[in-house]
Amino acid sequence: MREGNQSSTLDFILLGVSGQQQQEDFFFILFLLIYPITLIGNLLIILAICSDVRLHHPMYFLLANLSFVDIFFSSVTIPKMLANHLLSTKTISFGGCLTQMYFMIALANTDSYILAAMAYDHAVAIRRPLHYTTIMSPRTCILLVVGSWVVGNTNALPHTLLTARLSFCGNQEVANFYCDIVPLLKLSCSDIHFNVKMMYLGVGVFSVPLLCIIISYVWVFSTVLLVQVPSTKGVRKAFSTCGSHLTVVSLYYGTVMGMYFRPLTSYSLKDAVITVMYMTVTPMLNPFIYSLRNRDMKAALGKLVSKRISR
Ligand SMILES: *[C@@H]1O[C@H](CO)[C@@H](O)[C@H](O)[C@H]1NC(C)=O
């Protein structure tokens, strides 16, 4: 049996999404398409929002922050997968593995809390249109964003440290295309009971925003059903993005909870396909879902692109 501190000299093997060569080629091409679309889509959102003063509004600041997180989130896992496939290797160092795990957990949590902040923002815009600017002040907005980053990193640290202490005895094959917490725990020959408990706690912390989002939506829909909504511009704008927001949220939490809210023994390599959904597809879809259904965003994007072309 190897000691935990010796693990740092060992490389892990990333088995990929399916473990079969032909399907790996397919996922390589898929990720090769997804990655640039994710980067360009999210970058365009940030540029459009920063360059258009009409979009200097809490709702769009939060959206830009979501795009910012998504760029890093997809960069934690996809480039490594692409590089390994090109170099015909499957290895990742122990340090690289822990780094991937840390940023994956931190950014997924930050994403989750920003989604909740966006739901809260929509709810305030609809329920308290007259008090919106006082409730969603620049200070509150910054607090929500900074808070999301703090929670994300605070949630990632214990899992990474606890995993760093584990021993791995011989089998170093991680059943996924990146170092996810579950396949790593399954590989370890140490006692992982505490790690598993902490993981469920971590998924709980990750899922708190879902509760906030559901409450925000109940609050919003009760307005629609019970109260006559004053048709201000802010209200209409908030409604147009509610549907898009719900789409992203169901995709994101549905897949994450399907992956982690169950006993550890039921995991196999087949589940790696589920992780493709929230690790790569959701960050790619976010910019499209938000901008294609929002007239102001579309106008700003159009202006941005035509400005570049006419130069
Ligand atoms: C994130 O939100 C803050 C606070 O509203 C804002 O000042 C900042 O510009 C946003 N970041 C991006 C990348 O847009």
Side-chain angles (χ1 to χ4, degrees):
M1 201 202 256
R2 291 190 181 95
E3 291 301 315
N5 57 7
Q6 280 183 314
S7 305
S8 55
T9 57
L10 298 166
D11 280 348
F12 280 92
I13 311 286
L14 295 172
L15 288 183
V17 184
S18 67
Q20 265 134 27
Q21 191 54 44
Q22 238 174 353
Q23 284 162 9
E24 287 312 305
D25 290 342
F26 166 77
F27 281 108
F28 172 74
I29 307 241
L30 185 71
F31 286 10
L32 201 58
L33 293 173
I34 285 180
Y35 192 52
I37 296 173
T38 309
L39 293 189
I40 293 167
N42 283 301
L43 211 59
L44 276 177
I45 297 263
I46 296 175
L47 286 176
I49 290 172
C50 289
S51 66
D52 192 335
V53 273
R54 282 175 312 163
L55 299 186
H56 287 182
H57 179 280
M59 181 176 114
Y60 297 108
F61 280 141
L62 291 175
L63 178 55
N65 273 281
L66 185 73
S67 285
F68 186 73
V69 175
D70 279 342
I71 288 175
F72 286 102
F73 190 45
S74 50
S75 301
V76 173
T77 55
I78 302 184
K80 178 67 183 165
M81 188 272 192
L82 296 177
N84 269 10
H85 194 93
L86 280 176
L87 300 171
S88 300
T89 168
K90 290 183 179 231
T91 58
I92 184 166
S93 66
F94 189 63
C97 202
L98 287 179
T99 310
Q100 265 198 339
M101 206 179 94
Y102 179 85
F103 283 108
M104 171 232 145
I105 300 174
L107 296 170
N109 276 278
T110 309
D111 230 63
S112 173
Y113 278 79
I114 291 179
L115 285 174
M118 291 171 83
Y120 175 68
D121 171 81
H122 291 333
V124 171
I126 293 173
R127 284 296 302 237
R128 299 268 182 277
L130 302 177
H131 301 116
Y132 180 83
T133 39
T134 35
I135 298 175
M136 286 302 289
S137 62
R139 200 164 152 262
T140 314
C141 202
I142 289 170
L143 239 130
L144 286 171
V145 170
V146 172
S148 303
W149 281 93
V150 169
V151 174
N153 286 280
T154 310
N155 200 8
L157 198 60
H159 301 292
T160 313
L161 293 178
L162 281 171
T163 309
R165 290 177 56 244
L166 294 177
S167 309
F168 297 90
C169 321
N171 187 1
Q172 311 281 119
E173 296 185 332
V174 181
N176 209 329
F177 68 96
Y178 65 96
C179 281
D180 196 5
I181 185 162
V182 175
L184 269 180
L185 288 183
K186 287 195 81 173
L187 281 184
S188 172
C189 51
S190 311
D191 180 7
I192 56 165
H193 278 96
F194 187 64
N195 294 59
V196 173
K197 269 190 205 136
M198 285 300 285
M199 185 187 81
Y200 288 142
L201 182 71
V203 181
V205 172
F206 171 87
S207 309
V208 168
L210 178 62
L211 204 68
C212 303
I213 292 168
I214 293 171
I215 293 171
S216 298
Y217 275 99
V218 169
W219 202 42
V220 165
F221 287 124
S222 65
T223 317
V224 183
L225 297 175
L226 303 172
V227 192
Q228 200 74 348
V229 184
S231 181
T232 62
K233 201 174 163 226
V235 172
R236 259 184 287 124
K237 226 186 273 173
F239 263 115
S240 71
T241 48
C242 260
S244 343
H245 190 237
L246 270 181
T247 316
V248 182
V249 162
S250 341
L251 259 179
Y252 193 54
Y253 290 98
T255 45
V256 170
M257 287 167 109
M259 180 70 187
Y260 300 100
F261 265 151
R262 53 188 181 143
L264 209 62
T265 45
S266 69
Y267 292 102
S268 66
L269 183 57
K270 282 200 300 274
D271 298 308
V273 176
I274 304 176
T275 63
V276 171
M277 196 66 206
Y278 58 81
M279 292 303 298
T280 69
V281 178
T282 320
M284 175 186 70
L285 286 183
N286 275 346
F288 294 97
I289 290 174
Y290 284 104
S291 48
L292 291 183
R293 299 184 66 178
N294 185 308
R295 217 180 310 141
D296 292 339
M297 267 311 302
K298 269 193 279 192
L301 281 171
K303 227 172 59 188
L304 186 76
V305 173
S306 62
K307 209 164 43 181
R308 291 293 125 99
I309 290 170
S310 65
R311 246 181 223 165

